[in-house]
Amino acid sequence: MPLLPKRRRVTDLEDVHRTFAGHTGMDRRKQDPPLFSRYLLTGRRSCPRRKVDREAPQKVDRYSPKIFVMILFILGLSLTDAFFTLLLVDNGAEEVNPLMAYYLEEGQLSFVLIKYFLTCASATIILFYKDCSLFKGKAKVGVLFYLVPISFLLVIQWQIFLFVSG
């Protein structure tokens, strides 16, 4: 009589999955991760490991310093744009954007705060979806971190031209 029970042969892929998934049969990757976790400041995950997981938006613990610098650059350009807009409006120009014109009528501080908030919200959305595909997989959303500063720089260049020429 054997002392140990006979080991069952694992032939089914589902049995293998159950064996390695802690016998629950559930794939933990299909669950939404918590918004705040203990790994928020100490985690090491900077991108999903599996190629399949990289195709959909995934929460990571750390972002690259390059993205952090780009976000700071975008926020700085947004504040510079707000400064030049206020300067031009004081010299007789009009705000063309109806939403921002409304907040400009409310006051300069509300104009700057709303502009900053909208830029922060946009940068956060781009950050969360940076690995998602655009244009049927031809580009990632993260490319906007490089396109948005170009548009801000063109607007600021135009504002400087208007200020100097006018």
Side-chain angles (χ1 to χ4, degrees):
M1 181 190 266
L3 296 175
L4 297 174
K6 282 187 176 181
R7 295 188 96 187
R8 176 170 84 90
R9 273 184 100 185
V10 179
T11 56
D12 187 20
L13 187 59
E14 188 64 33
D15 287 340
V16 172
H17 177 72
R18 263 201 251 352
T19 303
F20 289 108
H23 303 287
T24 63
M26 293 179 58
D27 188 355
R28 62 182 163 74
R29 293 174 291 159
K30 294 189 188 236
Q31 299 173 356
D32 289 332
L35 185 59
F36 297 104
S37 72
R38 62 182 175 189
Y39 301 111
L40 185 63
L41 298 175
T42 61
R44 296 181 298 170
R45 183 176 305 195
S46 60
C47 69
R49 289 185 312 164
R50 296 171 189 87
K51 185 176 181 181
V52 174
D53 292 339
R54 284 189 222 128
E55 293 171 1
Q58 297 287 327
K59 183 175 179 266
V60 296
D61 300 323
R62 295 183 184 232
Y63 293 97
S64 73
K66 184 169 44 172
I67 290 177
F68 179 69
V69 168
M70 290 306 291
I71 290 174
L72 289 179
F73 186 54
I74 290 170
L75 294 176
L77 288 173
S78 177
L79 290 174
T80 305
D81 174 33
F83 170 76
F84 278 115
T85 300
L86 292 174
L87 200 61
L88 287 168
V89 166
D90 284 343
N91 287 324
E94 288 184 31
E95 174 64 50
V96 179
N97 182 344
L99 177 70
M100 296 312 292
Y102 170 78
Y103 286 108
L104 191 57
E105 289 175 8
E106 294 294 316
Q108 292 182 349
L109 182 61
S110 65
F111 172 78
V112 172
L113 289 177
I114 291 295
K115 184 165 188 63
Y116 187 76
F117 171 76
L118 290 174
T119 306
C120 286
S122 301
T124 304
I125 291 169
I126 294 170
L127 180 66
F128 285 156
Y129 290 99
K130 72 179 179 61
D131 294 321
C132 291
S133 296
L134 287 173
F135 311 115
K136 297 181 182 177
K138 298 197 190 280
K140 299 274 187 183
V141 173
V143 77
L144 293 175
F145 280 125
Y146 303 100
L147 296 178
V148 169
I150 292 171
S151 64
F152 267 120
L153 287 170
L154 290 173
V155 167
I156 291 169
Q157 183 181 8
W158 177 250
Q159 290 172 327
I160 292 172
F161 171 76
L162 289 176
F163 185 72
V164 171
S165 67

